[in-house]
Amino acid sequence: MTKKTRNILIVVAIALAVVWALWATFGSNDGVSQKDLSYKVIDSTMTTVDFAVTKAPEATARCAVKAMDESFAVVGWKVVTIEPNGKDVGSENGRTRTIRADLRTDTLAVTGIVENCWIVK
């Protein structure tokens, strides 16, 4: 491989890395974020998950919430819809709301988390 070819490959690799970093930072953000707050295993058939969702007050979001057992197998799963709300709901002028999801489970869970949230268009 010539020195010129090697330099071209290095420049292309750096450019691809920059494009990927920009996409990972800005391109995958669809205007909603979530944060796990707590979970409570009620019994072998029910787990609750509390989480905060930050989005535009006028937007509708959906969040996938799951409960897992000790081997990280999913034992309960649910999609929760967060409707638009006024600026007086929650905090940050209506941008952040706390949500509680009740999940029916097949067996005893040991944890509950929000997998992902997205804006419904």
Side-chain angles (χ1 to χ4, degrees), residues 1-11:
M1 180 181 317
T2 68
K3 187 174 182 180
K4 182 178 179 181
T5 303
R6 184 177 58 89
N7 288 340
I8 289 172
L9 289 175
I10 290 172
V11 168

Side-chain angles (χ1 to χ4, degrees), residues 27-49:
S28 63
N29 184 355
D30 62 358
V32 63
S33 64
Q34 73 277 349
K35 179 180 180 183
D36 293 322
L37 299 176
S38 66
Y39 68 91
K40 182 176 182 182
V41 177
I42 308 299
D43 57 29
S44 64
T45 65
M46 180 69 67
T47 297
T48 62
V49 179

Side-chain angles (χ1 to χ4, degrees), residues 34 36 63-66 68 77 113-117:
Q34 73 277 349
D36 293 322
C63 296
V65 185
K66 67 181 180 179
M68 296 180 292
W77 187 81
I113 63 168
V114 179
E115 179 73 20
N116 191 21
C117 291

Side-chain angles (χ1 to χ4, degrees), residues 86-107:
K87 294 187 179 222
D88 59 336
V89 176
S91 63
E92 299 177 31
N93 290 325
R95 290 189 49 79
T96 301
R97 289 180 56 191
T98 301
I99 308 295
R100 173 168 285 170
D102 296 322
L103 299 168
R104 295 203 180 275
T105 56
D106 297 328
T107 60

Side-chain angles (χ1 to χ4, degrees), residues 15-30:
L16 287 174
V18 168
V19 168
W20 179 85
L22 289 172
W23 175 82
T25 303
F26 300 109
S28 63
N29 184 355
D30 62 358

